[in-house]
């Protein structure tokens, strides 16, 4: 029991002595800083700064192998937008000691300016031509806009751009020059793209083609279409030209052949006859005079003149196979049966159908009343439904019963056509006295500025009022 008490007393004494010695040991110490990182740090201008970790320890002088970590205060504000040296201070202290350390932070500019190119994907430079700058800008984080300091040079089909900021940092970029030709030649017309030309005159086409790379390529232009100055109408000419890079350009021009006086459509019914060949001989003398034949089938031996007239450029239309009113106007079906029979003869002679026709007696005839009420009204509508075009007349030669005199036929025609800008003249090539008058009519018309045309689907129809 006594021994135990003695040991306890000794332990207490040792504890007191140990605490006293520790107080003495740690009252004699130094403060040391553990800098986790370099004492001199270089940071790029404008980049965020994060300070490395720092710890501080108290080291007893008598027992330096011992240490105790103590709290570290940091005093710093590194302005990364300010060039030059700045310091970060670290403080650590105990009740009787205080330590201090510093770290140097140097803010420098090593970042070159950035060059931004204006780039249009459709931009190109013509081969053999000087490159024209598309545009660029340059910006430095410190100096701001330095676009005016950019220098450029061309090397090996590239544009090299460089710019240096105030601290000697040089930025560079490059642009590949695209050499190409993507535009076709430009076709122009000295006289415009819609031209009016007098009938029977000579039309001189005026056009030009210029390419941005090849220059004048007018001699390479191909023209499709033709202007027949002997025939009134609107003609379309198509122009095509390609450059050396295969770029093709097309253009169109319309040429309208006009007359100062008027158009005369000479039409001849009831042929071919024994006189048709003589009429065609007269017409052959005048290249630019064309007429229209509304044919019948009563003289088979003369059918060859249908072919001859067609080959000479005259128009062929159906009149009737039989020209027998009592048969053709007996019913709708009878009319179209007769029509198709005559159409077949035309096809045999010309190789093609015609859409032109004239009703026997004209659309205004009243003789059809004797055979079928309302038939003319129905046939007119049916012909339209079939895509056919019928023609009447507004000038009569008088050869259908009023006269058999050639001179009177001539006077009736030339007096009648002077009332109209467009005249559809009723004649009959089955009458010899009419055939004898035609050349004088042609000579008079040409001398007075008229043109003689063949009818087509778009011609003036001179329709009468339908009376049945």
């Amino acid at each position: 029991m006594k021994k135990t008490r003695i040991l306890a007393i000794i332990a207490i004494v040792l504890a007191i002595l140990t605490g006293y010695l520790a107080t003495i040991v740690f009252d004699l110490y130094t403060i040391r800083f553990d800098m986790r990182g370099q004492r001199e740090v270089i940071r790029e201008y404008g980049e965020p700064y994060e300070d490395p970790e720092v710890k501080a320890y108290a080291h007893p002088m008598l027992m330096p192998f011992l240490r105790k970590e103590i709290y570290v205060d940091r005093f710093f504000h590194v302005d990364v937008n300010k060039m030059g040296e700045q310091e970060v201070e670290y403080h650590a202290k105990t009740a009787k000691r205080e330590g201090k350390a510093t770290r140097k932070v140097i803010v420098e500019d090593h970042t070159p300016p950035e060059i931004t190119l204006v780039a249009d994907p459709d931009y190109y430079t013509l081969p053999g031509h000087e490159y024209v700058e598309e545009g660029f800008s340059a910006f430095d984080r410190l100096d701001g806009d330095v676009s005016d300091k950019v220098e450029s040079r061309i090397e090996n089909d590239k544009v090299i751009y460089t710019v240096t900021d105030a601290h000697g940092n040089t930025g560079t970029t490059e642009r590949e020059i695209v050499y190409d030709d993507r535009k076709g030649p430009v076709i122009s017309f000295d006289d415009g793209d819609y031209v009016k030309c007098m009938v029977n005159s000579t039309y001189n086409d005026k056009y030009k083609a210029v390419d941005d790379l090849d220059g004048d390529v007018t001699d390479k232009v191909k023209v499709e279409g033709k202007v027949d100055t002997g025939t009134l109408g609107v003609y379309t000419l198509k122009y095509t030209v390609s450059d050396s890079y295969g770029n093709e350009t097309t253009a169109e021009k319309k040429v309208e052949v006009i007359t100062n006086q008027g158009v005369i459509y000479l039409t001849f019914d009831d042929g071919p006859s024994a006189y048709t060949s003589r009429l065609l001989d007269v017409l052959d003398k005048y290249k630019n005079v064309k007429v229209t034949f509304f044919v019948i089938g009563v003289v088979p031996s003369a059918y060859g003149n249908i072919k001859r007239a067609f080959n000479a450029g005259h128009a062929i239309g159906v009149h009737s196979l039989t020209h027998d009113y009592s048969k053709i106007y007996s019913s709708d079906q009878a009319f179209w049966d007769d029509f198709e029979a005559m159409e077949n003869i035309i096809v045999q002679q010309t190789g093609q159908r015609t859409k032109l026709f004239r009703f026997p007696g004209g659309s205004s005839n009243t003789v059809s009343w004797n055979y079928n009420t309302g038939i003319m009204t129905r046939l007119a509508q049916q012909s339209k439904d079939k895509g056919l075009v019928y023609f009447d007349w507004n000038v009569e030669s008088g050869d259908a019963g009023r006269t058999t005199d050639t001179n009177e036929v001539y006077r009736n025609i030339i007096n009648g056509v002077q009332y109209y800008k467009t005249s559809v003249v009723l004649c009959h090539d089955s009458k010899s006295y009419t055939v004898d008058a035609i050349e004088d009519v042609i000579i008079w018309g040409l001398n007075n500025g008229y043109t003689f045309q063949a009818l087509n689907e778009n011609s003036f129809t001179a329709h009468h009022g339908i009376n049945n």
Side-chain angles (χ1 to χ4, degrees):
M1 185 71 177
K2 183 176 181 181
K3 184 178 180 179
T4 301
R5 187 179 298 168
I6 293 172
L7 291 173
I9 293 171
I10 292 172
I12 292 172
V13 171
L14 289 174
I16 293 171
L17 290 174
T18 300
Y20 177 73
L21 289 173
T23 300
I24 294 174
V25 169
F26 283 99
D27 196 38
L28 298 173
Y29 59 86
T30 59
I31 296 177
R32 297 177 182 176
F33 289 86
D34 183 2
M35 307 286 284
R36 305 293 178 88
Q38 298 177 347
R39 288 185 175 274
E40 184 174 291
V41 178
I42 298 176
R43 283 291 180 269
E44 185 65 23
Y45 178 89
E47 292 185 359
Y49 172 76
E50 292 185 7
D51 195 54
E53 184 180 9
V54 176
K55 291 187 178 182
Y57 299 94
H59 292 268
M61 293 181 181
L62 297 178
M63 291 180 286
F65 54 88
L66 297 177
R67 69 178 184 176
K68 181 172 69 174
E69 185 176 354
I70 57 178
Y71 179 75
V72 178
D73 280 328
R74 305 185 189 203
F75 299 92
F76 74 95
H77 175 69
V78 176
D79 186 353
V80 294
N81 294 316
K82 179 181 178 182
M83 298 285 289
E85 297 183 359
Q86 302 177 51
E87 283 191 346
V88 178
E89 292 186 359
Y90 308 95
H91 294 261
K93 64 181 180 179
T94 62
K96 295 184 178 182
R97 293 286 185 274
E98 181 175 351
K100 177 182 177 182
T102 61
R103 187 194 307 276
K104 183 185 293 185
V105 179
I106 304 172
V107 178
E108 297 180 348
D109 177 23
H110 297 289
T111 302
E114 182 176 353
I115 302 173
T116 302
L117 302 179
V118 175
D120 181 353
D122 296 325
Y123 191 87
Y124 62 92
T125 299
L126 289 172
H129 286 61
E130 184 177 349
Y131 170 73
V132 178
E133 178 58 53
E134 298 169 65
F136 57 80
S137 61
F139 187 83
D140 184 72
R141 291 197 301 180
L142 189 60
D143 298 346
D145 191 338
V146 291
S147 301
D148 58 342
K149 296 181 179 180
V150 175
E151 297 180 353
S152 64
R153 67 184 188 278
I154 296 177
E155 294 181 2
N156 300 323
D157 294 339
K158 292 182 179 181
V159 185
I160 311 299
Y161 302 85
T162 57
V163 62
T164 302
D165 63 18
H167 295 96
N169 302 302
T170 299
T172 183
T173 190
E174 63 182 38
R175 182 203 306 274
E176 184 174 354
I177 302 175
V178 177
Y179 288 102
D180 201 355
D181 180 13
R182 302 174 188 171
K183 292 182 179 179
V186 176
I187 301 174
S188 59
F189 304 111
D190 293 344
D191 50 358
D193 58 6
Y194 196 101
V195 182
K196 292 186 177 182
C197 175
M198 292 302 301
V199 67
N200 296 324
S201 66
T202 300
Y203 174 66
N204 295 315
D205 200 6
K206 298 178 181 179
Y207 59 87
K208 188 174 184 179
V210 178
D211 184 63
D212 53 4
L213 182 62
D214 298 344
D216 192 328
V217 290
T218 305
D219 59 340
K220 297 182 179 180
V221 176
K222 296 180 180 179
V223 183
E224 296 179 30
K226 186 178 180 181
V227 177
D228 180 4
T229 58
T231 303
L232 295 182
V234 178
Y235 300 87
T236 300
L237 301 178
K238 182 178 180 180
Y239 304 78
T240 305
V241 63
S242 297
D243 62 19
S244 58
Y245 269 68
N247 300 302
E248 184 178 274
T249 299
T250 62
E252 284 190 353
K253 176 194 291 188
K254 293 187 181 299
V255 180
E256 182 180 7
V257 179
I258 61 174
T259 177
N260 284 335
Q261 289 296 329
V263 183
I264 298 175
Y265 293 105
L266 292 177
T267 66
F268 297 90
D269 291 5
D270 297 356
S273 73
Y275 311 110
T276 304
S277 180
R278 182 153 53 90
L279 174 60
L280 290 173
D281 290 341
V282 171
L283 296 174
D284 285 345
K285 298 179 183 180
Y286 303 92
K287 176 182 178 183
N288 294 322
V289 173
K290 304 301 175 185
V291 303
T292 303
F293 292 93
F294 290 108
V295 295
I296 63 175
V298 298
V299 185
S301 61
Y303 286 173
N305 284 320
I306 297 176
K307 181 176 183 179
R308 179 183 171 187
F310 176 80
N311 290 340
H314 304 295
I316 307 297
V318 172
H319 195 33
S320 170
L321 177 69
T322 63
H323 208 283
D324 186 337
Y325 291 162
S326 64
K327 291 181 179 180
I328 62 176
Y329 290 136
S330 62
S331 69
D332 298 7
Q333 187 61 48
F335 177 86
W336 292 116
D337 287 346
D338 178 274
F339 184 99
E340 281 300 316
M342 191 65 236
E343 181 82 271
N344 289 336
I345 294 172
I346 292 174
V347 172
Q348 291 171 7
Q349 296 298 319
T350 67
Q352 64 183 45
R353 295 177 65 87
T354 179
K355 292 184 178 181
L356 315 182
F357 79 101
R358 174 173 283 161
F359 288 111
S363 65
S364 61
N365 79 80
T366 56
V367 67
S368 57
W369 275 104
N370 299 324
Y371 312 109
N372 195 309
T373 302
I375 190 171
M376 296 309 302
T377 300
R378 296 194 304 275
L379 292 177
Q381 181 59 49
Q382 290 166 15
S383 68
K384 182 178 180 180
D385 295 340
K386 292 175 180 288
L388 303 173
V389 182
Y390 72 87
F391 293 86
D392 290 316
W393 57 87
N394 57 2
V395 175
E396 293 187 58
S397 66
D399 66 354
R402 293 207 317 263
T403 184
T404 60
D405 182 73
T406 295
N407 290 329
E408 189 171 347
V409 169
Y410 167 79
R411 287 192 298 272
N412 288 339
I413 294 174
I414 65 173
N415 289 335
V417 298
Q418 294 180 67
Y419 286 96
Y420 304 100
K421 194 71 174 176
T422 303
S423 301
V424 181
V425 184
L426 175 63
C427 302
H428 294 80
D429 55 322
S430 58
K431 310 292 185 180
S432 63
Y433 48 86
T434 299
V435 171
D436 292 339
I438 296 305
E439 185 163 18
D440 288 339
V441 171
I442 291 172
I443 293 172
W444 176 89
L446 294 178
N447 288 339
N448 286 275
Y450 289 87
T451 182
F452 293 87
Q453 301 288 315
L455 293 171
N456 60 58
E457 296 174 44
N458 300 313
S459 299
F460 173 58
T461 57
H463 281 173
H464 300 163
I466 296 177
N467 296 314
N468 179 20

